[in-house]
Structure formats: C-alpha cells, structure tokens
Amino acid sequence: MKPVLALVGRPNVGKSTLFNRLTKSRDAIVADFAGLTRDRHYGNGKQGRQEFIVIDTGGFEPDASSGIYKEMAKQTQQAVAEADIVIFVVDARGGLSAQDHDIAKYLRKIGKPCLLVANKAEGMLEGIQLTEFYELGLGEVIAISAAHGQGTRGLVELAFESLNLPDEPEETEEDPSVIKLAVAGRPNVGKSTLINTWLGEERLVAFDMPGTTRDAISVPFERQGQKFELIDTAGLRRKGKVFEAIEKFSVVKTLQAIESANVVLLLLDAEQGVTDQDAHIAGYALESGRAMVLAVNKWDAIDEYQRQLVQRSIENRLPFLSFANMHFISAKKRQGLGPVWNSIVQAHKSAMCKMSTPILTRLLLEAVQFQSPQRGGMFRPKMRYAHQGGMNPPVIVIHGNSLEHVTDTYKRFLEGRFRKAFNLSGTPLRIEMKTSTNPFADKESS
C-alpha cells in the first residue's frame, strides 16, 4: 500500500510548490473530485522504487468556526485523517506566526506522525533564523526550498524512515487466477448494500483484513469456482475523535483501491444520474489502465422517462467508457446482479489477453489495406508491424515510418478492429506508435 503524505500549513508558505515538486507535475491536480478541488488535491509521487501519494491542502485555520475557513479546515482535517504522515510547512523567511502555533497545537493533539519543514530556506540552510520554529514543539526543523528543489529528496527519505518503510517495496507473489475487484463510487450510492448482497447471496465465509481508517478492506470470496478479492471502498470503518465531524468519503481509499484492482466496478446512482465525482473516479480508473464495468444502482426506483435521462447522461458525460459493459441493477432487491459477474470476468479476461505478433501484424496490414492513414505533410505514415507491449491494460506497439502523423481518429479505427478481432470488452486498449530512426539522417545533415 502506498504511504500517504499530507501537506498542511497556513496560506502562502509554498505547499502547492512542494506538492508539484514531489509529484513532478505543474498542474497540482491529479485526482480531481467535485467539492474537494479548491482545498484538497491528490497526486502520485515516486522516489527510487517507492511510490507514494501526496495530498495538498488549502490554508489551515484549526479554530475557524464559520464560512469558507471552516470548510477549508474541514478539508485539511480530512487530509490529516487519511495520511500516514503529516508534513507541516512553515515559511522560513516570513517567520513564526500565531497561526503556526494553532496548527502545531492541533497536530500535537492528533498525535499523527509529523515532520516540521521550513520552506523558502534557500541561502539560509545553516542560519540561526530557523531556531524560532523549535517553539512549536514538533522536533527537528527541516530546511528546504521547494522552488529550487533543495532538501526535498531528503525530506521524503525522512518521511519513509519515520514510517519504518522497507528500503525496497516488498514484492509479493500474486495468484494470477484471483480477480481483484474494486467497487468504487460516491457515498450512499449503494456500495455496502451491493457487497453485503453478494456475500449473503453466495453464502461464503468472508473476513475483513484489519487495516487503518483509510485502508481499503480486502474480502476474499469465491463464485462458481472463480476466486475474487473484493477491495471494499465503502466508507471509513472506524470512528474516533479525529473523524467525528469529517466526511466518510475517503478519496485516498478510493484511489488506492483502484490502483490495487484488476477490475473496477463503478457504481452509479440512478436517482441522481452521473455527477462530477462519478466522472472523476471514472477518469482516474481509466488513467490507471483498469478494466471497468458500469452498474447503475436503484434502477427500480425510477420511471421510464427518468431511465432515458440517466442513459443519455451516461452517454454524454462518460463517452470515454464506451468500452465498458453497462448494467442496470437493484442491489437492495437483488435484481440484475448475475450479468454483472459475467462482465467482470470478461473484462479481466480481456485485460489479460495475450496477442501474438503475427496475428497483430496481419490485422494491422489488413486495416491499412482497407483504409490508409491520412498523409501528414510530404509523407504518408507507413506501418510495418505490430506487437504486444503489455497487459492490464493491453498495449499494442506499432512500428513504422512517419507515425507521428497518425491521427487520433485513425488510432480509434485501429482500436476498433483490434477489439473486434480479439473480442476485447471492458478494458482500455492503448496503441503506441514507434517511428523508426533514419540511419542516414546524420550523414545527410553533415
């Protein structure tokens, strides 16, 4: 499981700059959820072989009692709740403030592992200006400059040491016959009802593997001889003083569940249609390359007119999931659940499909003969052969000349022919173009 680092601090201390440095991005938004985008952003980082999740938060005022500052405080408290370790960022040049003291008091009360980081410390790494921050009572002050990249690598290493992470991530052997299934969706869409219906219907012994408040719960079970590992994202399981006033929807849990799964079942609410949250969860799953199945729950609760609106909403807002099978179900009444299982198994089979080079090359040449790619400038793209470049999701690598001119429309045309030939459904299919280099290019330019 990826460790989670939360960046907290008052406004304008450089949290977003540090976020972008750690995630090696410039947009500060990797997973974007409606209602959270202003104050809480999620990104993936990697140092060595260790991957981690970073949460960026807005300015934190722990004692805010009303207005936007109360909402921002709530968002930061949620980030702290989801994190394994908190990175408290202060301004080395601006000095200590009363708000820093309030934040430090809150963090000491929570008892979460914490690193105190003095940002904007370029040129003063050994200066005595940092001594005042020891008043916060959070231990050693780590001097960095997020803008210049000074000290950020050491900061991440200290965070890993504080969490007692192994130097190299453990590589556990996984049973390829087990399908890892994540049920993802907004709060109150019916995830818990569906999971309980499945487990009760199959009358199988299931158990919850213990985890922290942000961990996904893993539930092994079997259906008709096929083994599954259900990764449950249905809300926080424990309640404590930290979480009483905090929303139950854990974004970190959802992101981790999607990354851990082979197949993602995206559950939609028929009564509410497709929301921004649904679209963002679907987008993240697609970026992660996960096989997907769509299920619209509470289908029995709406009339025919509403059903048409929901279907139109799905077509308009989730067109990028056209490869996924869609089912209309009622988890409460146990209606329509059988076909969902068939689609899950088919999606996994498609994601793990093996495609031989001779067959791929023949299909490619047949497609080119049927419809040639458009000419780009002076040259027409020439495709020579194709081979498989990966699974889960399947990747097809096409080699040739001038392939940088191949349009997205033509790639979709090729994707359709490959999908039909290999009966791929429920999985994204990625097509990569590799243009051959001209061995005489250097001689010609000389």
Side-chain angles (χ1 to χ4, degrees):
M1 195 70 73
K2 292 181 183 179
V4 182
L5 284 59
L7 310 180
V8 304
R10 57 187 173 86
N12 302 318
V13 294
K15 296 187 298 298
S16 293
T17 305
L18 179 57
F19 175 91
N20 289 337
R21 177 69 63 176
L22 296 178
T23 59
K24 295 181 173 63
S25 67
R26 295 185 64 85
D27 51 19
I29 300 176
V30 176
D32 186 359
F33 290 80
L36 312 179
T37 57
R38 186 178 303 171
D39 306 310
R40 207 157 98 236
H41 303 316
Y42 295 76
N44 288 314
K46 186 175 182 180
Q47 186 154 301
R49 294 181 58 189
Q50 180 65 61
E51 296 183 352
F52 56 93
I53 292 175
V54 189
I55 312 176
D56 184 21
T57 64
F60 187 27
E61 294 188 17
D63 298 327
S65 58
S66 63
I68 185 65
Y69 295 106
K70 180 181 179 181
E71 292 303 313
M72 291 170 69
K74 183 178 177 183
Q75 297 293 335
T76 303
Q77 289 167 351
Q78 174 70 20
V80 171
E82 293 179 326
D84 293 306
I85 188 167
V86 176
I87 297 178
F88 177 19
V89 185
V90 294
D91 188 337
R93 297 195 177 275
L96 195 60
S97 72
Q99 194 171 344
D100 291 329
H101 278 285
D102 292 340
I103 297 171
K105 180 180 177 182
Y106 173 80
L107 293 176
R108 289 197 304 269
K109 179 181 178 183
I110 294 301
K112 181 84 70 169
C114 178
L115 292 178
L116 178 58
V117 174
N119 190 28
K120 307 179 186 179
E122 58 273 14
M124 52 186 289
L125 298 181
E126 303 299 330
I128 61 173
Q129 298 96 322
L130 303 181
T131 56
E132 62 177 326
F133 294 107
Y134 286 91
E135 293 180 21
L136 298 176
L138 293 174
E140 193 70 28
V141 182
I142 304 164
I144 70 165
S145 172
H148 295 82
Q150 297 175 0
T152 54
R153 184 177 181 83
L155 170 62
V156 176
E157 290 175 354
L158 281 173
F160 291 165
E161 290 176 8
S162 301
L163 296 173
N164 296 319
L165 294 176
D167 294 334
E168 296 289 345
E170 295 182 9
E171 295 185 4
T172 56
E173 289 192 11
E174 298 179 352
D175 186 349
S177 66
V178 177
I179 298 177
K180 292 185 175 182
L181 173 65
V183 180
R186 294 176 289 108
N188 304 318
V189 76
K191 297 189 295 295
S192 294
T193 304
L194 177 62
I195 291 164
N196 291 336
T197 297
W198 278 347
L199 298 177
E201 183 181 60
E202 303 304 327
R203 289 178 171 78
L204 294 172
V205 177
F207 64 92
D208 286 354
M209 297 177 66
T212 66
T213 52
R214 57 150 190 93
D215 282 340
I217 307 299
S218 178
V219 185
F221 67 105
E222 186 174 326
R223 183 182 187 274
Q224 296 181 356
Q226 173 63 58
K227 292 182 179 179
F228 294 87
E229 184 178 327
L230 179 63
I231 306 168
D232 177 10
T233 65
L236 296 169
R237 292 306 181 96
R238 299 179 187 172
K239 281 192 175 181
K241 61 181 180 180
V242 182
F243 309 103
E244 286 176 358
I246 296 175
E247 59 186 299
K248 292 184 178 181
F249 180 50
S250 173
V251 179
V252 164
K253 184 191 290 187
T254 301
L255 302 188
Q256 290 177 327
I258 288 172
E259 291 180 352
S260 301
N262 302 125
V263 183
V264 175
L265 176 65
L266 178 58
L267 202 60
L268 306 176
D269 189 329
E271 294 179 316
Q272 298 186 27
V274 182
T275 68
D276 288 340
Q277 276 188 359
D278 295 322
H280 291 312
I281 293 171
Y284 188 86
L286 181 65
E287 289 177 12
S288 300
R290 296 297 170 257
M292 293 192 69
V293 177
L294 290 178
V296 185
N297 193 26
K298 308 177 186 178
W299 195 243
D300 59 313
I302 60 175
D303 58 31
E304 184 59 32
Y305 175 71
Q306 290 174 303
R307 291 180 177 183
Q308 292 178 12
L309 292 179
V310 170
Q311 289 176 290
R312 198 172 305 148
S313 173
I314 293 171
E315 292 172 1
N316 292 336
R317 303 207 62 182
L318 302 176
F320 53 88
L321 294 187
S322 58
F323 62 83
N325 290 332
M326 182 165 56
H327 300 275
F328 305 102
I329 68 170
S330 171
K332 193 173 183 179
K333 295 186 177 180
R334 304 188 177 191
Q335 295 174 352
L337 302 185
V340 175
W341 285 113
N342 297 333
S343 291
I344 291 170
V345 173
Q346 176 60 35
H348 180 259
K349 180 180 177 182
S350 297
M352 307 303 290
C353 177
K354 294 182 179 179
M355 299 173 278
S356 72
T357 298
I359 294 177
L360 283 174
T361 301
R362 176 175 57 80
L363 290 170
L364 174 66
L365 298 179
E366 287 176 354
V368 171
Q369 189 174 9
F370 181 81
Q371 180 179 326
S372 298
Q374 292 180 350
R375 183 184 299 273
M378 295 176 59
F379 304 100
R380 184 185 297 277
K382 186 172 180 61
M383 302 179 182
R384 300 187 180 280
Y385 69 96
H387 66 86
Q388 187 169 7
M391 294 188 294
N392 195 26
V395 179
I396 297 174
V397 183
I398 298 174
H399 294 260
N401 300 109
S402 302
L403 300 187
E404 65 273 12
H405 299 300
V406 176
T407 63
D408 290 338
T409 301
Y410 194 79
K411 287 181 182 178
R412 286 193 293 270
F413 161 71
L414 292 177
E415 179 182 338
R417 294 186 68 103
F418 288 134
R419 282 188 179 280
K420 184 176 180 181
F422 289 99
N423 190 28
L424 301 180
S425 67
T427 180
L429 175 64
R430 295 177 178 171
I431 297 179
E432 297 179 0
M433 299 290 175
K434 296 282 187 180
T435 297
S436 304
T437 57
N438 183 354
F440 302 103
D442 293 337
K443 294 181 180 181
E444 291 176 357
S445 60
S446 60

